[in-house]
Amino acid sequence: MNQKIRIKLKSFDSILLDKSAENIVKAVKATRTVVNGPIPLPCTKEVYTVLRSPHIDKKSREQFQLCTHKRLIDIYSNSSKAVDALMKLELPSGVEVEIKV
């Protein structure tokens, strides 16, 4: 029976996210399992507008943007070696990992 493991990665830093996805793919491919990805998903952008001065210059504003980058990795495995390889892997603290089996 082939089980599908879906890993969703999120981070504010795209370079850190790409390195983490590359580490996951290398670790899983070492166990000779089929890997799809990393597939880039659309960025989520949050824009914040802040008043520069609350009293005199009401029209003077600053805008800040926060981008959340996402990647998707699908692993098709029928052995526990791939799961063990994922459990031993250490990822940086700036990357959020969501795993669905």
Side-chain angles (χ1 to χ4, degrees):
M1 178 176 123
N2 256 351
Q3 75 176 19
K4 179 178 164 184
I5 301 170
R6 177 165 278 183
I7 301 174
K8 197 173 189 182
L9 303 170
K10 292 181 186 179
S11 178
F12 296 121
D13 186 13
S14 65
I15 297 169
L16 186 67
L17 185 68
D18 289 335
K19 287 181 182 178
S20 301
E22 184 180 323
N23 288 342
I24 290 173
V25 170
K26 279 183 184 177
V28 174
K29 280 191 176 180
T31 62
R32 298 179 188 234
T33 57
V34 179
V35 179
N36 256 354
I39 302 166
L41 297 175
C43 268
T44 306
K45 293 183 182 180
E46 298 176 45
V47 179
Y48 298 101
T49 304
V50 179
L51 292 174
R52 288 187 188 190
S53 172
H55 303 293
I56 298 171
D57 298 322
K58 175 86 172 155
K59 294 180 183 178
S60 176
R61 297 168 188 237
E62 255 184 307
Q63 289 188 333
F64 299 99
Q65 176 173 301
L66 191 63
C67 294
T68 305
H69 302 276
K70 301 175 203 169
R71 301 288 183 269
L72 185 71
I73 301 172
D74 285 335
I75 301 169
Y76 302 100
S77 71
N78 52 5
S79 67
S80 62
K81 290 181 183 178
V83 177
D84 290 339
L86 286 173
M87 295 300 281
K88 292 179 185 175
L89 198 63
E90 290 187 21
L91 294 176
S93 60
V95 178
E96 181 184 330
V97 180
E98 184 181 317
I99 299 175
K100 291 183 182 177
V101 180

